Every structure is written in structure tokens, then in C-alpha cells.
Amino acid sequence: RAIKGSAEMVADLVTSGASILFLGRPGVGKTTAIREVCRLLGDDLVKRVVIVDTSNEIGGDGDIPHPGIGRARRMQVADPEAQHRVMIEAVENHMPEVIVIDEIGTQAECLAARTIAQRGVQLVATAHGNELENVIKNPSLSDLVGGIQSVTLGDEEAKRRGVQKSILERGGPPTFDVCVEMLERNKWKVHLDVGQAVDVLLAGGTPGGQVREKTHDGSLLKFQYNSTAPPGAAPVQPHTAAGTRGKVADVRSKSRQQQQQQQAAEAGSRG
């Protein structure tokens, strides 16, 4: 089905150029949502959109693609086992600005998605799993969120963090910027920073997020939830350039205050 407006709750994220991963149980509307995303990107934003249509669920089974995908182009996948090769072919031969993939399910497809993201192409995809934690625990899909690795800490670091010496950490940057957990058709939970959300989950905490809900009258409600760290653990801080600039500014401010205090003390002693 093509339902216009079914992706309205994440339209701001789609137009921002962020790569988005949709999660949810079967039948909650993942394919319907990304079909509308294709139309939004292709028609409204006039971008070059290529759909890797594994089972013809997005563009239909006929020779002519369904009008619901707008100006987006479709690449059919003859053999589901060869989907990762079609993904690479799409980015190498068709000059896409956006690639849309329905149901990423194997390690080869995860690696292909990472290759596409590293080439500066916006990705929109769905994957098996109800929530972000399911993706982390799935060995075939964990690479989508940076991959999980076991790390052994020193005694002092483990004591400082309040954790065991052997912990799980994210191995690298996630392929997707944003993750959308489709709780219901009109109620979605959005993780605006996938890397930080994964770090909180691996530390044993509960990641925050933004719950977006569409009411009966068509208005959009947004509820913000903060991350919670496990008892005794240090809160996970996002490693961002903005945060680094803020710390540098604080240090400079403190050093200026110390210089002013020192100059005042010297002037008082001379007096």
C-alpha cells in the first residue's frame, strides 16, 4: 500500500540527510514508511533515489514500478543471496544520492551498507528486530551499529567505572545516524544518536530517545526521554566536537580567572 504522509513523523530527519534505520515487528508498517520516504526524497526533494528491492515489496512485482515510490528508481534482486552485490552495483553504477534497502539481514549486506555509507550516500533501510537492543544482540546485524567487541580493563579503570574487568564496547562508528523503533503505526521511538544509545545499552543503562506520536487529528506530539545509567556506573558522555569545544572554553575561562586573581594578589602585596 502507498499511504501518503505515512513517513510524516520522521520527515525532518529524512530531509536533513541523515541515514535512518527502521526497526519494528512484522506488520507494523516499516515497508509502507520507507515507500513514502522514497516518494518524499524523489519527488519533493528531487534527489537521485535508488531502491534495492529484494522481494519487490517496495516497488511492486510488475515491470513498471508502483507510482507510490515517485521518481525513485528501482533495482530488482533476482537472487536474495546476491542482494549485497546489487547494493554495491547501485552505488558504483547509478550515482545515487540516496539508497533505500528493505530488510537487511546478513553480514554481507551489513558490510555493503557500511561501504555505501562511507561513500557519502544517504541510507534508508529496515532490519529484523523490534528495538535497538535486538540489533546489538544479533551477530549478523551488530555491524550496523558499529559492531560489538569484548574489552579487558585494568584494575584502576574497572574500579573507576564500577564495572567488571571484561566489558562489551562498541567497535567503531555506526553505519546509521538515526534509529527508529516503530512501536505502533502512529507511535515511534527515535534514537537521534545511535552511537550514544548503543554505548548506554552496553553499559547496562537505558538509552533515552524521542517518542513521536501522531494523534487522531493529525497533530504530531514529541516526548523527550533522557538516558539512565546503571547504579554505580559513570554516565556515558557523547564524544562530540561541540563537547570538546565546550571543555576547552571552560579550561580557558578558569585559567583567565586564576590569572586575574593572581594579578590582584600581587597588586595587594605591592600596596
Side-chain angles (χ1 to χ4, degrees):
R1 295 182 297 171
I3 303 176
K4 193 170 183 178
S6 57
E8 182 182 359
M9 288 194 284
V10 292
D12 57 327
L13 303 175
V14 172
T15 56
S16 71
S19 293
I20 306 174
L21 177 65
F22 288 90
L23 303 174
R25 68 181 189 276
V28 79
K30 297 190 298 296
T31 303
T32 303
I34 64 171
R35 186 181 295 119
E36 173 63 10
V37 167
C38 295
R39 188 203 64 78
L40 175 65
L41 289 166
D43 287 358
D44 297 355
L45 300 182
V46 198
K47 288 192 173 184
R48 294 188 299 274
V49 183
V50 174
I51 303 169
V52 179
D53 207 354
T54 313
S55 54
N56 296 331
E57 284 190 80
I58 301 177
D61 200 25
D63 294 333
I64 300 176
H66 193 282
I69 65 173
R71 296 165 57 91
R73 288 179 287 172
R74 175 184 63 166
M75 292 184 66
Q76 294 175 297
V77 181
D79 180 8
E81 298 295 327
Q83 175 169 315
H84 61 284
R85 288 197 289 270
V86 178
M87 292 166 61
I88 297 299
E89 180 187 347
V91 74
E92 288 181 346
N93 299 337
H94 294 271
M95 295 187 302
E97 294 177 283
V98 186
I99 288 184
V100 180
I101 309 155
D102 193 20
E103 295 293 356
I104 294 178
T106 66
Q107 286 184 333
E109 292 163 12
C110 292
L111 291 174
R114 178 173 292 277
T115 300
I116 292 169
Q118 289 173 344
R119 298 188 184 192
V121 178
Q122 182 181 1
L123 269 175
V124 179
T126 66
H128 301 285
N130 292 335
E131 53 189 18
L132 188 58
E133 190 172 2
N134 299 140
V135 177
I136 294 174
K137 293 180 178 179
N138 189 333
S140 299
L141 299 179
S142 61
D143 192 56
L144 293 177
V145 294
I148 311 303
Q149 63 183 6
S150 179
V151 178
T152 302
L153 303 175
D155 294 336
E156 292 183 2
E157 181 66 15
K159 185 177 180 180
R160 186 185 68 82
R161 296 193 187 187
V163 297
Q164 298 178 349
K165 292 185 66 174
S166 181
I167 62 172
L168 295 177
E169 285 191 349
R170 179 163 51 91
T175 302
F176 292 89
D177 307 309
V178 178
C179 177
V180 178
E181 298 175 359
M182 302 179 68
L183 309 177
E184 301 171 8
R185 282 194 176 273
N186 293 319
K187 186 177 181 180
W188 299 353
K189 184 175 181 179
V190 180
H191 297 286
L192 298 173
D193 187 339
V194 173
Q196 184 183 2
V198 172
D199 292 341
V200 172
L201 280 169
L202 292 176
T206 303
Q210 190 179 80
V211 174
R212 301 185 176 192
E213 186 172 356
K214 195 172 184 180
T215 61
H216 296 293
D217 61 359
S219 58
L220 181 61
L221 303 178
K222 296 181 181 180
F223 306 94
Q224 191 73 34
Y225 293 90
N226 295 325
S227 301
T228 58
V236 177
Q237 299 293 338
H239 300 285
T240 61
T244 304
R245 288 194 296 269
K247 291 178 182 178
V248 172
D250 290 342
V251 171
R252 289 175 178 171
S253 177
K254 289 180 181 177
S255 63
R256 283 196 298 268
Q257 291 176 0
Q258 291 173 354
Q259 290 175 358
Q260 292 172 358
Q261 291 173 358
Q262 184 177 0
Q263 290 173 358
E266 291 175 354
S269 62
R270 285 196 299 268

